[in-house]
């Protein structure tokens, strides 16, 4: 049994759309979770979010279609553990560059015998309105392992990375991928685009969902046509900026 609506949508052949949340604000999550997103990615890597704020933000998704997932700052279990125990149904691990990195990312999100997650889900059952027993039975099937492909070394090892059992999603990060190629802030560079193409090709060959970021609706549609199954449509700060700018459309100042 899976609690995860993301997996249900994938099984029906549909892509999922989400937003990256960087602000330590349950109120922002309340708004976004009721705005049509399938998932919200709580950013514990670059955003100023602490564990208490993250817990409140996870709770704020209750009663909505939005599945809470989180990105941690490094590939170490202790960063994922409290987020899982608070109720997220996915952990995104940055800078996965090898088979060993992918294996570690998978093990941290699942209980033995298939993983190494430690027991202590005091709040996750409450978030999902379940008994502890029922949560524990559903957890391994419900939590998804999400890895970031954002370095040229990852692209070079893509086949063996996505062949690791238990990897559910491989998300291409164009910003860091460009940086790893010496093209800071220039993801449109031909060398970066070729690396993205090779990464896409490797992920699409595997039984792993392809994920990425779209900066416009037309780009999102092109990505769906290309086989992407998990797409971020924006960041909380960028959505706020766009909304604020739109408020001035037609206003004479």
């Amino acid at each position: 049994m899976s609690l995860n609506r993301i997996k249900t949508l994938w099984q029906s052949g549909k892509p999922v759309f989400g937003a990256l949340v960087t602000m330590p604000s349950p109120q922002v999550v309340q708004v976004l979770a009721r705005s049509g997103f399938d998932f919200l990615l709580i950013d514990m890597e670059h955003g100023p979010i602490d564990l208490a704020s993250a817990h409140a933000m996870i709770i704020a998704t209750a009663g909505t279609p939005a599945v809470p997932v989180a990105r941690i700052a490094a590939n170490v279990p202790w960063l994922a553990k409290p987020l899982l125990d608070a109720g997220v149904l996915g952990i995104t691990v940055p800078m996965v560059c090898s088979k060993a990195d992918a294996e570690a990312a998978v093990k941290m999100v699942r209980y033995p015998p298939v993983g190494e997650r430690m027991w202590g889900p005091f709040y996750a059952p409450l978030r999902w309105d379940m008994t502890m027993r029922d949560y524990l039975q559903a957890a391994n099937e419900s939590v998804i392992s999400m890895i970031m492909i954002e370095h040229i070394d990852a692209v070079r090892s893509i086949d063996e990375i996505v062949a690791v059992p238990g990897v559910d999603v491989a998300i291409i990060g164009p910003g860091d991928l460009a940086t790893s190629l010496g093209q800071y802030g220039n993801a449109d560079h031909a060398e970066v685009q070729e690396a993205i193409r090779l990464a896409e090709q490797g992920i699409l060959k595997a039984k792993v969902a392809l994920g990425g970021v779209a900066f416009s609706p037309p780009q999102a549609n092109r990505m769906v046509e290309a086989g992407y199954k998990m797409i971020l449509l924006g960041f909380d700060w960028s959505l706020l900026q766009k909304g604020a700018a739109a408020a001035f459309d037609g206003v004479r100042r």
Side-chain angles (χ1 to χ4, degrees), residues 177-248:
L177 182 54
T179 300
S180 76
L181 288 165
Q183 297 294 332
Y184 307 100
N186 188 17
D188 291 330
H189 188 274
E191 188 178 8
V192 180
Q193 288 298 306
E194 174 62 10
I196 291 173
R197 188 190 68 78
L198 291 173
E200 290 173 338
Q201 188 178 64
I203 297 165
L204 287 169
K205 285 191 301 185
K207 294 181 179 180
V208 172
L210 171 60
V213 181
F215 296 100
S216 68
Q219 184 182 7
N221 291 333
R222 289 194 298 271
M223 290 169 71
V224 171
E225 292 173 2
Y228 279 78
K229 295 298 183 185
M230 190 173 211
I231 300 174
L232 286 161
L233 296 177
F235 315 109
D236 51 0
W237 58 267
S238 66
L239 295 169
L240 181 59
Q241 279 184 333
K242 289 177 183 177
F248 284 100

Side-chain angles (χ1 to χ4, degrees), residues 70-85 88-96 100-120 135 139-140 143-148 164-168:
R71 178 166 69 175
I72 56 178
N75 194 353
V76 290
W78 64 267
L79 290 174
K81 190 188 313 182
L83 295 165
L84 291 166
D85 292 340
V88 298
L89 292 185
I91 293 291
T92 303
V93 176
M95 281 294 166
V96 170
D101 290 344
E103 289 171 342
V106 168
K107 289 177 182 177
M108 76 170 68
V109 304
R110 298 192 175 101
Y111 290 113
V114 295
E116 297 175 352
R117 179 180 173 185
M118 298 178 69
W119 184 88
Y135 173 80
N140 278 3
V143 176
I144 56 176
S145 175
M146 307 160 66
I147 62 171
M148 295 291 298
V164 171
V167 172
D168 296 299

Side-chain angles (χ1 to χ4, degrees), residues 28-40:
V28 167
V29 170
Q30 281 185 312
V31 174
L32 294 177
R34 289 160 177 81
S35 300
F37 292 108
D38 300 308
F39 69 95
L40 295 177

